[in-house]
Amino acid sequence: MAEVKKVATRDGYGMALVELGKINQDFLVLDADLGAATRTGMFKKEFPDRFYNCGIAEQNMISLAAGIASTGKKVFASTFAMFAAGRAFEQIRNSVGYPRLNVKIGATHAGVSVGEDGATHQCCEDIALMRTIPGMIVINPADVVEAKACVIKAFEVDGPVYMRFGRLAVPVIFDEDYEFQIGKGIELRPGTDVTIIATGLMVAEALQAHEILAAEGVSARIINMATIKPIDKEIIIKAAKETGLIITAEEHSIIGGLGSAVCEVTSEKYPVKVIRIGIKDTYGISGPAVDLLKYYNLTAEEIAKTALQAVKCK
Amino acid sequence: MVKLMDIKTKKRLMQTACKVRMGIIEGTYNAKSGHPGGSLSIADILTYLYFEKINIDPNNPQMPNRDRFVLSKGHAAPALYSVLAHRGFFSVEELKRLRHIGSMLQGHPDMKNTPGVDMSTGSLGQGISAAVGMALASKHFKSGFKVYCAVGDGELEEGQVWEAFMFAAHKKLDNLIVFVDLNNLQIDGTLDDVNSPLPVDKKLEAFNWHVITIDGHDFDQIEQAVEEALAVTGKPTAIIANTIKGKGVSFMENAVDWHGVAPNYDQYKAAMAELEEYLKSLED
């Protein structure tokens, strides 16, 4: 098997900021002393005068970003997902969300794939938190190409956007000409027995699961759901009707994330069995990222095993 | 050294501030809730800013390079609304709809709903950060506008306020002027009863701010402080305004119970009568 190219989605964030910076002077980038890690450092290197380091003060950074946006200028604010969605939740809710300001939050190091830093830094609750804020757009790209594309779209759209990026290098799935649309899921593989709806780094795992299942004679539809909010109801209902069984896969708590969002749609519009794969109401632990994904069963094998059992029970 | 304000201007401001206070009482009475105490303490400062100093246009509330004002102590919204109404951003009658369903006057300031409100505030500690962001944007994009902000003394107990103070001084935001409304009372009691942030002046000096302390009900001192602040370069300025919570309504003055309680009918009548009498005395 040929070597798969792997890049972290946070790199896509940094690259897209630089691209935007070249064509638009009318926005600022903020960080909270994590520029090297969040990759806003790439923007800082190119456009040092348009980058402001707020220091280790995330709450101030978010409300400050709101103040900048209130003057009609767009602004990106970056830190780890834990300290954006977690620590500064209420600032995002009240300073950014409530006045619907043009603050684009670039939250990196989401999920257990942060790795060795352990539980305090492994945010598996951010999608759930951000999803509850009225009007907030929540995007969790699958690879570097989608990450870049979502940053550009987030910049263009009016209002607050929460973008979730990872630290770990993950397989590149999309071609450079890929066209990302906010609020649209994408069917990556056709299938009739079961639908696997995945987001973030679990999309690459879902694609592998498709192959494993095919070898077992199971036809699995694979959907990439990069936008968690607003969720693409149409593609979920269609999958429910046509395959009668859905498995969700996310590197996030199964409480409140993609799995919950899918269940909300199916239970109201077309009830089918939905099995949620994700972090099961627990904290992370320290370890190498790839090993942690195995430890928490966030793998193609686990998706395939779950799907196979569920299809047999249909 | 003290350059006194023109006596006519001062009298006009005192009259306006009295009308602003009547609007605060009118609003909180009709809302049957709200925060009269901290609204009355900041009324003179807001009156001075909106009627004398800041560059705004009631007919064009979104004027891009207008000066900004952020009421970080957002619970004093009745004061801001009353000032905006009297300044012509909307009808004074609207004050009676404070906190009513469908009203443009939410319990705490909402920039999307109320003409003249520059930032949605209410959750303490966040407004000052937004003001700092505005001042940064003004400098970065060379827009030239000034940013004024009012924080409560109790609000200083929020850690985010100090993050904002730190950042503003580090970035040398000399286009930012922050009033600290030092009325010494918060919901649960005096500052000292709760978790006193005093001394504020020394703390802010240590944070590399230019600090001025004034009587927040004296228009001469308010004006001099603002003029001094506008002349300062390389530092943001904090104007620590010693004020009286409930100022202007005798039975509300310095009474902690008037932090977040609206007057009943009799209290409303008494307060309005007292303010009307004071207004008349100014007309003589």
Side-chain angles (χ1 to χ4, degrees):
Chain A
M1 195 177 156
E3 194 66 22
V4 183
K5 192 184 169 199
K6 289 185 176 181
V7 188
T9 51
R10 62 172 165 156
D11 290 316
Y13 178 49
M15 287 181 234
L17 289 179
V18 172
E19 272 178 39
L20 275 175
K22 284 177 184 162
I23 55 170
N24 191 312
Q25 307 226 330
D26 231 20
F27 71 96
L28 300 179
V29 175
L30 311 180
D31 205 297
D33 195 37
L34 288 169
T38 64
R39 301 294 194 247
T40 59
M42 294 162 72
F43 181 87
K44 181 191 176 185
K45 195 167 164 241
E46 294 287 323
F47 313 104
D49 59 319
R50 284 187 258 160
F51 174 86
Y52 288 92
N53 199 331
C54 297
I56 310 165
E58 298 81 9
Q59 301 164 74
N60 182 53
M61 176 178 72
I62 295 294
S63 299
L64 188 122
I68 293 168
S70 78
T71 70
K73 307 294 180 184
K74 293 185 181 180
V75 57
F76 288 88
S78 295
T79 179
F80 291 178
M82 193 76 244
F83 314 126
R87 189 187 198 101
F89 170 78
E90 202 233 306
Q91 282 74 12
I92 297 175
R93 196 258 189 202
N94 277 327
S95 290
V96 175
Y98 178 46
R100 297 193 297 281
L101 291 167
N102 258 317
V103 177
K104 319 299 175 182
I105 299 157
T108 68
H109 294 60
V112 291
S113 62
V114 167
E116 293 81 351
D117 279 352
T120 54
H121 285 54
Q122 294 165 342
C123 190
C124 297
E125 303 85 10
D126 54 328
I127 294 175
L129 289 164
M130 290 297 106
R131 207 159 77 76
T132 61
I133 295 176
M136 180 64 77
I137 292 171
V138 182
I139 308 173
N140 183 32
D143 77 346
V144 64
V145 177
E146 192 169 58
K148 277 193 284 186
C150 91
V151 176
I152 308 292
K153 289 288 181 193
F155 183 74
E156 288 168 359
V157 79
D158 192 42
V161 180
Y162 179 85
M163 294 168 285
R164 182 185 213 242
F165 304 110
R167 171 174 184 258
L168 179 69
V170 294
V172 179
I173 297 167
F174 297 105
D175 298 329
E176 284 295 334
D177 60 357
Y178 166 66
E179 277 190 38
F180 171 77
Q181 268 186 290
I182 290 174
K184 283 282 171 206
I186 304 170
E187 186 179 305
L188 297 177
R189 298 284 185 276
T192 50
D193 297 328
V194 56
T195 300
I196 298 161
I197 304 178
T199 189
L201 58 72
M202 292 307 287
V203 175
E205 300 297 322
L207 287 170
Q208 271 191 50
H210 174 87
E211 304 301 326
I212 300 170
L213 288 164
E216 299 278 345
V218 173
S219 166
R221 180 179 303 184
I222 309 296
I223 290 170
N224 169 34
M225 197 69 90
T227 313
I228 313 293
K229 189 184 178 189
I231 195 112
D232 186 346
K233 289 181 183 167
E234 219 171 276
I235 203 167
I236 296 170
I237 295 165
K238 188 165 179 280
K241 284 181 181 168
E242 293 175 1
T243 67
L245 173 64
I246 294 174
I247 291 167
T248 60
E250 62 195 306
E251 189 203 7
H252 182 275
S253 172
I254 55 167
I255 301 170
L258 170 71
S260 297
V262 168
C263 287
E264 286 160 18
V265 176
T266 55
S267 63
E268 284 185 358
K269 302 289 182 188
Y270 198 89
V272 294
K273 184 165 185 176
V274 178
I275 302 171
R276 296 165 300 155
I277 291 175
I279 301 294
K280 293 178 171 60
D281 198 21
T282 185
Y283 294 99
I285 54 169
S286 286
V290 175
D291 297 345
L292 283 178
L293 292 172
K294 286 184 188 131
Y295 182 87
Y296 287 104
N297 288 322
L298 301 175
T299 60
E301 292 72 22
E302 179 69 15
I303 296 171
K305 196 176 88 184
T306 307
L308 201 56
Q309 278 172 1
V311 168
K312 278 181 189 162
C313 295
K314 260 172 98 173
Chain B
M1 65 165 229
V2 175
K3 186 176 158 283
L4 293 180
M5 189 183 276
D6 167 68
I7 194 79
K8 274 188 188 162
T9 307
K10 189 172 171 180
K11 200 158 193 186
R12 181 175 52 76
L13 286 172
M14 289 166 82
Q15 288 167 348
T16 305
C18 187
K19 289 177 194 163
V20 164
R21 287 192 161 89
M22 291 165 82
I24 293 168
I25 299 301
E26 192 71 62
T28 50
Y29 167 68
N30 281 284
K32 297 186 173 60
S33 69
H35 299 80
S39 298
L40 292 166
S41 69
I42 199 81
D44 296 311
I45 288 163
L46 292 193
T47 300
Y48 173 77
L49 289 177
Y50 275 89
F51 285 84
E52 204 56 33
K53 200 72 222 168
I54 68 178
N55 175 33
I56 36 116
D57 178 2
N59 296 314
N60 185 11
Q62 294 298 318
M63 185 169 69
N65 286 342
R66 69 190 184 278
D67 288 340
R68 268 41 175 208
F69 174 77
V70 179
L71 185 66
S72 199
K73 48 171 288 183
H75 54 281
L80 179 60
Y81 296 155
S82 189
V83 165
L84 290 173
H86 283 95
R87 187 68 177 80
F89 282 85
F90 47 85
S91 144
V92 174
E93 268 303 291
E94 193 67 31
L95 296 174
K96 292 181 181 165
R97 305 240 311 131
L98 173 68
R99 291 179 169 234
H100 285 54
I101 287 179
S103 167
M104 70 159 77
L105 304 180
Q106 294 294 295
H108 292 82
D110 173 4
M111 65 184 283
K112 293 284 180 199
N113 236 332
T114 315
V117 170
D118 290 324
M119 185 66 207
S120 301
T121 54
S123 178
L124 296 178
Q126 298 187 29
I128 182 169
S129 293
V132 172
M134 293 172 186
L136 182 78
S138 176
K139 284 230 166 210
H140 182 93
F141 295 104
K142 299 183 171 50
S143 310
F145 60 81
K146 309 286 180 194
V147 182
Y148 298 84
C149 176
V151 297
D153 48 5
E155 185 179 8
L156 298 177
E157 292 158 17
E158 288 282 5
Q160 184 177 349
V161 171
W162 300 93
E163 294 182 0
F165 283 145
M166 201 187 307
F167 181 92
H170 182 255
K171 297 294 182 283
K172 301 183 169 51
L173 299 179
D174 50 20
N175 56 345
L176 174 66
I177 300 174
V178 174
F179 285 88
V180 177
D181 184 19
L182 200 77
N183 60 33
N184 198 40
L185 290 174
Q186 53 190 116
I187 301 181
D188 277 353
T190 64
L191 294 181
D192 211 35
D193 286 336
V194 183
N195 184 23
S196 174
L198 302 179
V200 179
D201 52 351
K202 289 193 178 70
K203 285 192 178 76
L204 279 165
E205 279 162 13
F207 271 63
N208 291 323
W209 279 60
H210 181 71
V211 180
I212 308 167
T213 301
I214 61 163
D215 173 347
H217 301 303
D218 181 328
F219 285 111
D220 289 317
Q221 292 190 33
I222 296 170
E223 172 152 89
Q224 281 156 28
V226 172
E227 292 302 330
E228 181 181 327
L230 290 171
V232 170
T233 56
K235 278 183 175 190
T237 294
I239 299 173
I240 298 171
N242 287 298
T243 59
I244 294 168
K245 199 153 183 166
K247 172 73 178 178
V249 178
S250 53
F251 61 89
M252 289 186 178
E253 288 189 1
N254 280 323
V256 70
D257 294 344
W258 286 102
H259 174 91
V261 178
N264 64 25
Y265 181 74
D266 290 341
Q267 291 161 334
Y268 162 70
K269 282 288 178 196
M272 291 301 266
E274 186 178 341
L275 288 165
E276 265 163 39
E277 197 177 321
Y278 178 61
L279 191 59
K280 261 189 200 150
S281 78
L282 290 172
E283 282 163 3
D284 290 338

